[in-house]
Amino acid sequence: MKKVLLASASLFALSAFAPVMAADLAARPYTKAPVAPAAVYNWTGFYLGGFGGYAWENTSTDPKMKGGFAGGTVGYNWQASNIVLGLEADGGWADVSATAGTPGVAAITSRINALGTVRGRVGVAFDQVLLYGTGGFAWINNKLTADVLGVLASDSQFHTGWTLGAGVEAFFAPQWSVRGEYLYRSLGSENYFAGTVSSGTLNLHTVQVGVNYHFGGPVVAKY
């Protein structure tokens, strides 16, 4: 009986001191959830892409050369702070043409069937958006076709010159970007048909859009 009473007294004493002991225990510390890293885009690296666009001749007279083109691009960017320097080359197929006269009677057609550039780029990056200016070397391959009473004679010449323009490019996925670009191209005169026909300077306005794939993953995790 004494053992039962002693056990009961001990349980009563423990129940009396339990709230006090619980109050003396330190509160569980609060641990903040880790912050997810924010993606910061860096434009440095190689890229490949494709583009398509439209060109029209800068002249006040008709007929004007006009038409579409499409091709590929290869380039490299260097980024320091938010300044981006780049070098790129592009080239592709074109169907930019005009015909003067009456086909089948007496006419001459000028058709640009290929074009390209080698250009430098200087831009300012706003994270995944790049605004840039560009300029450099331009070329076209042009074909003149004379049609006299249905008898055709053709001659092709390679024209070189310069180009200047501007554009905007933006990442829409970690390694993919889309761009829109305007270029003014001025190509020097060439002689056709053994020097009997001079083309004069060919000046073109071109607008184009393209998609580029950037190698190496241009995304840097920032905590």
Side-chain angles (χ1 to χ4, degrees), residues 147-181:
D147 179 352
V148 180
L149 300 177
V151 178
L152 304 180
S154 298
D155 188 16
S156 295
Q157 296 293 332
F158 190 79
H159 295 246
T160 60
W162 55 268
T163 182
L164 285 174
V168 57
E169 186 171 0
F171 281 102
F172 62 89
Q175 290 177 281
W176 292 93
S177 67
V178 62
R179 71 159 68 173
E181 190 172 68

Side-chain angles (χ1 to χ4, degrees), residues 1 6 13 24 29 71 78 89 92 95 136 148 154 166 173 179 181 187 199 206 221:
M1 189 67 179
L6 287 173
D24 290 338
W78 298 266
D95 186 7
V148 180
S154 298
R179 71 159 68 173
E181 190 172 68
L187 293 310
S199 67
T206 64

Side-chain angles (χ1 to χ4, degrees), residues 88 119 121 132 134 166-167 179-183 206-209:
E88 72 174 35
R119 295 178 280 127
R121 296 202 304 170
Y132 64 89
T134 182
R179 71 159 68 173
E181 190 172 68
Y182 164 80
L183 293 176
T206 64
V207 290
Q208 60 195 56
V209 295

